[in-house]
């Protein structure tokens, strides 16, 4: 007797809602739709997204940890001005960690793991060609996770994921910029080639250069948002 497909339980649904709200609000903050000093009212956000205040409260708490908002006395939660200096520091750390991940992946990935990475990279090429930013963004996260896992070093993976979480809102928003999807894929080509060849040093340099490019793109987004705010 066949079983009906499993439906997401309450916790899974809540996590999905929280993830979606965090993505939308963080992107609006990063791109300047929600400028510095804007108050984020729990009830207004709950009404906007047609959810209860509980997931909204959780999202605002997460955004606070990420440094995008803060709770102020008598004002509630407000959007913070992004510190470009802090952003650059985070990306410098991210570049070193992901470079190390690429190096270890080149040296330690099995042929099957490399094959999976190359297959995913080929799928991303189609999305880059059609400039499908949303689908590419999802594959991009999977691409980097395959490289993390290819290190076979859980401690390094944990550190890389934590660093990625702190800048994920910028890495997500970068694909709104014209030609960024295609350029990102070209940067990935150099990483994949080095990993496939088992060249750890080249993989490190290619991945570090890729993340530093993302850093420059993100810094430009912050600068443009600041100009819009003061103009």
């Amino acid at each position: 007797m066949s079983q009906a497909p499993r439906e997401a339980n309450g916790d899974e649904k809540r996590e999905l809602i929280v993830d979606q709200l965090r993505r939308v609000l963080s992107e609006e903050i990063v791109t300047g739709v929600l400028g510095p000093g804007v108050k984020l009212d729990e009830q207004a956000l709950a009404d906007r997204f047609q959810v209860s205040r509980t997931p909204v409260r959780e999202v605002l708490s997460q955004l606070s940890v990420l440094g995008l908002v803060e709770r102020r006395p008598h004002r509630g939660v407000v959007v913070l001005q992004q510190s470009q200096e802090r952003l650059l520091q985070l990306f410098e750390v991210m570049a070193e960690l992901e470079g190390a991940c690429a190096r270890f992946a080149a040296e330690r990935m099995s042929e099957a793991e490399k094959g999976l990475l190359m297959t995913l990279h080929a799928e991303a090429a189609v999305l880059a060609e059609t400039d499908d930013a949303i689908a590419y963004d999802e594959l991009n996260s999977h691409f980097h996770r395959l490289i993390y896992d290819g290190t076979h070093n859980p401690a390094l993976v944990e550190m890389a994921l934590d660093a990625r979480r702190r800048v994920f809102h910028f890495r997500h928003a970068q694909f709104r910029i014209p030609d960024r999807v295609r350029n990102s894929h070209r940067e990935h080509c150099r990483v994949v080639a080095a990993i496939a060849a088992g060249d750890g040093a080249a993989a490190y340099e290619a991945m570090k250069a890729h993340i530093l490019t993302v850093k420059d793109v993100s810094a430009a987004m912050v600068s443009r948002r600041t100009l819009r705010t003061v103009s």
Side-chain angles (χ1 to χ4, degrees):
M1 183 175 180
S2 62
Q3 295 182 341
R6 186 181 71 85
E7 293 185 0
N9 60 36
D11 288 341
E12 289 173 335
K13 289 180 178 178
R14 180 187 58 78
E15 290 177 3
L16 180 60
I17 291 172
V18 168
D19 182 65
Q20 291 173 337
L21 293 183
R22 186 181 66 248
R23 283 180 174 272
V24 171
L25 291 176
S26 64
E27 182 168 341
E28 289 184 352
I29 292 171
V30 168
T31 57
V33 175
L34 295 172
V38 171
K39 180 179 179 181
L40 300 180
D41 180 74
E42 285 185 9
Q43 188 59 57
L45 290 173
D47 292 342
R48 172 187 170 187
F49 294 108
Q50 297 183 327
V51 297
S52 70
R53 294 177 64 170
T54 300
V56 171
R57 191 175 299 118
E58 184 171 346
V59 169
L60 293 180
S61 177
Q62 292 179 5
L63 294 179
S64 177
V65 172
L66 293 171
L68 296 178
V69 304
E70 72 174 0
R71 189 174 298 277
R72 295 178 180 173
H74 312 301
R75 286 208 61 193
V77 178
V78 299
V79 176
L80 285 175
Q81 172 69 53
Q82 286 296 304
S83 166
Q84 193 171 54
E85 180 181 4
R86 173 66 172 171
L87 175 65
L88 298 183
Q89 292 170 351
L90 289 172
F91 268 108
E92 286 177 355
V93 172
M94 183 86 261
E96 291 295 335
L97 287 172
E98 293 224 9
C101 285
R103 184 181 71 226
F104 285 132
E107 297 168 349
R108 299 175 180 177
M109 265 185 162
S110 67
E111 290 305 313
E113 288 173 318
K114 289 181 180 180
L116 185 58
L117 181 67
M118 288 186 283
T119 297
L120 186 72
H121 182 59
E123 293 175 7
V126 177
L127 300 176
E129 188 63 30
T130 58
D131 201 29
D132 188 340
I134 295 176
Y136 183 86
D137 184 22
E138 293 179 0
L139 244 67
N140 180 61
S141 296
H142 192 190
F143 174 85
H144 284 274
R145 185 57 197 254
L146 285 178
I147 293 174
Y148 296 168
D149 292 341
T151 68
H152 299 282
N153 184 326
L156 179 57
V157 172
E158 183 180 349
M159 294 173 66
L161 287 173
D162 181 63
R164 185 181 184 87
R165 178 181 61 82
R166 294 178 185 276
V167 297
F168 97 94
H169 34 286
F170 288 98
R171 297 183 74 157
H172 174 69
Q174 66 172 309
F175 297 120
R176 294 168 59 100
I177 296 175
D179 293 326
R180 182 58 200 147
V181 170
R182 291 186 178 88
N183 290 336
S184 172
H185 187 262
R186 280 194 286 268
E187 293 157 18
H188 284 182
C189 286
R190 292 188 282 273
V191 175
V192 171
I195 290 177
D199 189 337
Y204 169 84
E205 292 298 338
M207 180 62 84
K208 182 177 178 180
H210 169 54
I211 300 302
L212 290 178
T213 297
V214 179
K215 179 199 76 170
D216 293 339
V217 171
S218 300
M221 283 192 293
V222 172
S223 295
R224 284 196 295 270
R225 195 188 72 164
T226 301
L227 288 174
R228 285 198 300 270
T229 301
V230 301
S231 61

